[in-house]
Amino acid sequence: MNYLVAVLPDRIQAEAAYLALEKDSINSTILGKGYKTADEFGLIDPKEQAKKQAKLMTFWLVPFGFFAGFTFSFITGLNTFAWAGEIGNHIIGGLLGAGSGAMGAVFVGGGVGLITGSGDALPYRNRLDAGKYLIVVQGSETLTRQATRILRQFEPENIQGYADT
């Protein structure tokens, strides 16, 4: 399945583009005020996805990190914290491993994406928030090429094609 997304500055142009596509029997969707929202269409919020991924990674990496830290301390016999005793050193090693697991979950699991934002969904959401309209066409490569020719007549701010692989 291929996708084509065009950004149009106002509702009038979006409706005109929609009608031009419909005239050539091309189904499309308008996103914007008074039409479908990004959530209704299924445009993923990258920050929400990053939070979910980081939580999932934390669920697995923190216990694994604790086990790895405890095991490393036990195998090496390091006495890093003399005041804690032998068992205390192993537990502290486990806690340090769990902390490392938590950091890994944040960085690998999407925490960086949470901070910086990623993907094309965020710019499209920002444009919708700014009052712009999106025309989305889903279909074969031939259909999206035909839709591109039609949409270029309306001089969209941006037009981008995606292939769902």
Side-chain angles (χ1 to χ4, degrees), residues 56-69:
L56 178 67
M57 294 293 284
T58 300
F59 180 76
W60 291 104
L61 288 180
V62 169
F64 179 78
F66 181 84
F67 178 74

Side-chain angles (χ1 to χ4, degrees), residues 14 39 47 86 93 95 102 107 117 127-128 155 163:
D39 292 328
K47 291 188 178 196
E86 186 178 343
L95 292 173
F107 289 115
R127 287 182 170 156
L128 288 171
E155 298 177 5

Side-chain angles (χ1 to χ4, degrees), residues 40-84:
E40 289 172 340
F41 182 73
L43 201 58
I44 297 168
D45 184 357
K47 291 188 178 196
E48 195 59 41
Q49 286 297 106
K51 282 181 190 175
K52 266 200 307 195
Q53 187 67 21
K55 283 182 185 178
L56 178 67
M57 294 293 284
T58 300
F59 180 76
W60 291 104
L61 288 180
V62 169
F64 179 78
F66 181 84
F67 178 74
F70 187 93
T71 304
F72 178 78
S73 178
F74 183 76
I75 290 172
T76 59
L78 291 175
N79 192 14
T80 309
F81 305 101
W83 54 267

